[in-house]
Amino acid sequence: SGGSRSRERRRRKSRSVTPKKKKRTTLWDAPPDPSQAFLGSAGIAVSGAMSMMGGVVGGMDSKKAREVFVGNLLQGQVSTTHLRQFFKELFLKLPDFCARYPQLKDAGPVAEVQMGSDTKFAFVEFMTEELAVTALEFDRCELFGRPIKTGRPSPYTPQGNVAPPLDVSELRKAGFLPAVGRRHG
């Protein structure tokens, strides 16, 4: 009878000592709140730039217009931070980008990056459709020594007039992009 009493005390004690686990809320399936967007470990808030632009424009149709598939990534080496930095550096070399989007010089053109499960590809959402169309021009540009592939995610159907890309001739002249334009079709 003495043994069962001490066992009872241990049970009570262990129950009272164990803190209640807080339920984690990941929100992995919730749409991103543009006002809460941050740039990786740098912690640079995009919210200020987006409020100056009036936020990321539109709903799901508009999101598809701002989204670009990026493939042929070096598996296990390329992260969301690398992709954000890669596109930011390329866009900052474009005079048109600097002139039209001065509010994005610090934050960069990328709103969100979703890496594929095997990290060989990603879906990159840009702040505007014009920036996404411009990013399509970066097809075959090198990242970690590999030519990336850029394209529209399927199923993408253009809605109305598609924004023309920014002038990328400076990047071509400097050798950051292949000399020949994007293959269409």
Side-chain angles (χ1 to χ4, degrees):
S1 91
S4 65
R5 181 177 255 174
S6 64
R7 196 176 322 132
E8 182 66 29
R9 283 185 189 152
R10 279 191 302 239
R11 281 188 193 153
R12 265 190 267 144
K13 186 175 182 183
S14 66
R15 285 185 190 142
S16 62
V17 171
T18 306
K20 288 186 179 182
K21 288 187 177 182
K22 186 177 178 182
K23 187 175 179 180
R24 275 184 37 184
T25 309
T26 61
L27 300 176
W28 64 269
D29 61 345
D33 178 0
S35 66
Q36 300 299 313
F38 285 90
L39 271 183
S41 62
I44 302 169
V46 177
S47 60
M50 290 175 58
S51 63
M52 290 168 66
M53 287 177 53
V56 173
V57 185
M60 285 309 284
D61 289 340
S62 180
K63 177 181 169 101
K64 285 290 181 199
R66 294 187 320 269
E67 198 170 56
V68 173
F69 167 84
V70 181
N72 199 33
L73 301 176
L74 188 58
Q75 187 174 11
Q77 299 297 310
V78 180
S79 68
T80 58
T81 305
H82 291 127
L83 282 172
R84 284 181 182 277
Q85 192 61 33
F86 172 74
F87 284 112
K88 181 180 177 181
E89 287 175 11
L90 286 176
F91 274 94
L92 286 175
K93 291 178 182 356
L94 300 175
D96 279 358
F97 174 76
C98 295
R100 292 185 198 176
Y101 299 96
Q103 70 278 15
L104 293 179
K105 281 186 180 178
D106 290 333
V110 175
E112 181 183 3
V113 177
Q114 292 182 336
M115 296 295 292
S117 58
D118 63 0
T119 69
K120 289 182 182 178
F121 68 92
F123 294 99
V124 180
E125 182 186 347
F126 290 86
M127 297 289 193
T128 68
E129 182 179 3
E130 180 180 43
L131 297 175
V133 172
T134 303
L136 292 173
E137 295 293 317
F138 300 161
D139 190 51
R140 296 177 288 142
C141 184
E142 284 197 7
L143 175 64
F144 284 92
R146 294 179 73 157
I148 64 167
K149 294 179 182 176
T150 61
R152 289 296 193 175
S154 58
Y156 170 74
T157 309
Q159 304 292 321
N161 293 335
V162 177
L166 297 173
D167 180 13
V168 296
S169 60
E170 291 296 318
L171 291 176
R172 291 201 198 289
K173 286 181 203 171
F176 290 107
L177 298 179
V180 179
R182 178 169 169 73
R183 299 163 303 188
H184 293 281

